[in-house]
Amino acid sequence: MLDLQTLRADVQAVALRLAERGFQFDTAQFAALEGERKTMQTETQELQAKRNALSKQIGQLKAKKEDASALMAEVNAQADQLKTLESKLDDVQRRLNDFLMVIPNLPHASVPAGKSADDNVEVRRVGEPRKFDFAVKDHVDVGAGLGLDFDTAGKISGARFMVLKSGVARLHRAIAQFMLDVHTQEHGYTEVYAPYMVTGECANGVSSLAKFKDDLFKIEGRDLYLIPTAEYPVTNFVRDQILALNELPLKFVCHTPCFRSEAGSYGKDTRGMIRQHQFDKVELVQIIHPDQSQAGHEELTAHAETILKKLGLPYRTVTLCTGDMGFSSAKTYDIEVWLPGQNAYREISSCSNFEGFQARRMQARFRNDKNKTETVHTLNGSGLAVGRTLVAILENYQRADGGVDIPEALQPYMGGLKTLAPVR
RNA sequence: GGAGAGAUGGCCGAGUGGUCGAAGGCGCUCCCCUGCUAAGGGAGUAUAGGCUCAAAAAGCCUAUCGAGGGUUCGAAUCCCUCUCUCUCCGCCA
């Protein structure tokens, strides 16, 4: 949610910045709602104050065993009016809130303007794509011989699911373990385990349920959603909290499966495990002081990149342009790994600074050095998507004989195994 | 699944219809006293929002005692629904 003070101070400026990301902010409607809210609230509170004062007097009279019927009549006379005002105020506040809750975040000043992914700006490219002296296969073909099984998955769950067996199953597990160890031991994150389902309220804390509920799997008959990323439960750890200054920053790393309905992505990435209804991800989350969120964002992105470096996977990092950013983000770096099978860089991590946007929705604050409550900033990023890392390893480390070399960093997690041999 | 108990401020804990945003204690902040330390005395110490104001400061007001609804002139207190926690029994990875 945008900061109401900022919004009131200069609606036009806000509208302009939102336009950059392709969002039409209805300034007239905002002015109307705000105006209505203001009148309703003032009137309602005046009446409430009057009622409270009279009630107090009634109490005093009754304590002295005196007659209070005149005052009671006076309160009763305005009771209907008060009730009407209260419900009108309630209504306008809800409408104002609904209006505000679907407005995306303001892009940070450093975000390049643009309409689509084509306008994203590459900030760095690391590693050289390998030259193959044999016909390169994509991960589906490489994996087929190693235990990657879409047929069985299709039978039991349908499209966009996978079954892993034997070597690839173990490799999949090794990747997640490796990432968790690097982030906890080298980057100072606290490992957390969190629920795979969250309430609608929590979903609204990090994103907009009204806007994106179709992307989520909902538990029938309950106010629970399967998480599309560990960001959902973990960021909400600090919901409704006032943290002490010295508690910041909080740094969490969490490995979970992620569930996405992928509504609206029909026909996109239908082959292979690039886009699945269920995939594992190791997520980095930081709750941070506003003054440090920019630096923290750079740092978190570097933490994610470290994994790719250690795995020897070529990648590039891009800054998403205003038109390609997610709803809640003020600034996002996507890290894209090189996939020989697609002859392209594909997203493997998305690292965002949400500034106070999520924190205001969650009411996550801290006590600043002036002892005042202030909104925290939140950051998160994939560190990394486990399934896509598996894809990248299968494709980048494939051998002419159909096997796959195991990156050195992962060998300790594979019992010292150096190569996955085809199982036939 | 069955039976019972409970949810109050940073923490503990009182409060079962009236001046209660809430006693008391602990903690914390500031001040005083005490040649250090210990002890003692005083004051302050929730959050969100609104109004006044150019703004700040300040003041006033509203809401909030797990959440939502209801009764009432008035609700932490009474009623209903829900959520969560604890205890016992049963079941169980």
Side-chain angles (χ1 to χ4, degrees):
Chain A
M1 183 145 72
L2 299 182
D3 180 25
L4 257 183
Q5 308 305 329
T6 317
L7 208 50
R8 289 187 188 128
D10 197 348
V11 204
Q12 295 307 329
V14 171
L16 273 176
R17 289 177 68 191
L18 286 171
E20 274 182 42
R21 54 179 300 166
F23 184 87
Q24 290 303 313
F25 181 84
D26 192 338
T27 51
Q29 197 190 351
F30 174 70
L33 283 169
E34 245 305 88
E36 197 182 338
R37 190 226 90 227
K38 201 166 173 171
T39 330
M40 285 300 150
Q41 184 162 350
T42 314
E43 284 181 31
T44 306
Q45 292 188 349
E46 269 171 19
L47 267 193
Q48 285 172 330
K50 191 174 159 197
R51 179 206 57 202
N52 291 346
L54 287 172
S55 293
K56 203 169 255 190
Q57 288 177 39
I58 293 170
Q60 285 163 348
L61 286 178
K62 292 221 167 177
K64 288 184 275 182
K65 306 271 189 235
E66 289 174 28
D67 177 44
S69 53
L71 290 179
M72 282 169 71
E74 197 179 336
V75 180
N76 275 322
Q78 63 158 51
D80 284 349
Q81 194 194 351
L82 180 58
K83 206 159 204 159
T84 312
L85 274 174
E86 278 176 340
S87 75
K88 274 189 180 170
L89 174 62
D90 202 56
D91 181 63
V92 70
Q93 276 178 332
R94 197 169 39 242
R95 279 184 287 132
L96 183 59
N97 193 54
D98 289 348
F99 176 82
L100 293 171
M101 286 295 271
V102 295
I103 297 169
N105 200 359
L106 298 176
H108 187 267
S110 63
V111 173
K115 284 192 162 49
S116 71
D118 298 336
D119 302 315
N120 294 343
V121 176
E122 182 174 307
V123 288
R124 61 188 155 264
R125 197 176 276 232
V126 176
E128 275 295 312
R130 172 183 161 199
K131 305 258 191 297
F132 291 87
D133 52 11
F134 55 91
V136 174
K137 292 188 277 192
D138 78 353
H139 71 279
V140 179
D141 291 335
V142 177
L146 302 169
L148 174 57
D149 179 357
F150 291 104
D151 293 341
T152 305
K155 181 171 65 182
I156 58 178
S157 302
R160 294 208 193 280
F161 287 96
M162 66 176 179
V163 164
L164 301 177
K165 295 174 188 160
S166 65
V168 274
R170 186 178 188 183
L171 184 56
H172 183 259
R173 169 163 59 94
I175 290 167
Q177 301 299 314
F178 162 69
M179 290 175 183
L180 284 167
D181 282 349
V182 171
H183 294 311
T184 53
Q185 289 163 22
E186 298 178 27
H187 299 151
Y189 289 78
T190 302
E191 182 171 352
V192 295
Y193 173 84
Y196 300 163
M197 301 176 204
V198 295
T199 61
E201 197 177 43
C202 285
N204 246 329
V206 293
S207 182
S208 167
L209 194 55
K211 270 196 159 160
F212 303 111
K213 62 172 183 295
D214 288 347
D215 297 334
L216 302 178
F217 286 110
K218 188 175 192 303
I219 305 299
E220 194 175 334
R222 304 204 47 170
D223 179 34
L224 283 175
Y225 298 82
L226 290 180
I227 58 171
T229 155
E231 166 194 0
Y232 275 53
V234 176
T235 310
N236 276 289
F237 280 9
V238 295
R239 141 179 302 279
D240 291 324
Q241 267 196 273
I242 301 174
L243 298 156
L245 187 58
N246 63 15
E247 286 179 89
L248 301 177
L250 291 168
K251 295 167 74 179
F252 298 117
V253 58
C254 186
H255 169 219
T256 67
C258 304
F259 305 92
R260 299 186 182 177
S261 75
E262 294 297 342
S265 66
Y266 303 107
K268 207 186 276 181
D269 299 314
T270 48
R271 180 177 162 84
M273 54 185 286
I274 293 286
R275 193 174 298 274
Q276 300 271 285
H277 285 313
Q278 173 186 322
F279 63 94
D280 275 33
K281 185 154 60 65
V282 170
E283 183 77 358
L284 305 172
V285 173
Q286 292 195 24
I287 312 297
I288 195 166
H289 191 289
D291 294 349
Q292 285 155 20
S293 75
Q294 272 198 73
H297 183 213
E298 300 296 329
E299 196 182 276
L300 182 144
T301 307
H303 291 155
E305 290 181 21
T306 298
I307 300 294
L308 288 164
K309 285 180 186 161
K310 283 178 184 280
L311 292 177
L313 293 168
Y315 68 90
R316 63 174 198 150
T317 301
V318 301
T319 308
L320 297 194
C321 72
T322 50
D324 199 30
M325 281 198 307
F327 175 79
S328 304
S329 177
K331 183 173 185 177
T332 299
Y333 291 119
D334 267 11
I335 304 173
E336 300 177 341
V337 69
W338 176 253
L339 294 184
Q342 297 202 1
N343 200 39
Y345 287 98
R346 289 299 307 260
E347 177 188 341
I348 196 167
S349 170
S350 194
C351 303
S352 301
N353 184 357
F354 304 94
E355 297 185 335
F357 189 82
Q358 297 181 323
R360 277 187 292 274
R361 291 173 159 249
M362 296 187 299
Q363 305 218 65
R365 295 148 293 170
F366 71 103
R367 220 168 272 288
N368 65 21
D369 49 10
K370 294 190 184 70
N371 220 31
K372 297 258 193 209
T373 56
E374 188 177 335
T375 305
V376 295
H377 279 195
T378 58
L379 308 171
N380 73 52
S382 355
L384 310 161
V386 176
R388 288 190 181 179
T389 304
L390 180 59
V391 167
I393 290 172
L394 294 180
E395 295 198 0
N396 283 279
Y397 284 90
Q398 62 182 295
R399 296 156 53 104
D401 65 4
V404 167
D405 287 324
I406 295 166
E408 219 170 292
L410 291 179
Q411 288 172 12
Y413 295 86
M414 296 291 288
L417 206 64
K418 290 187 166 55
T419 306
L420 280 190
V423 285
R424 274 182 300 128

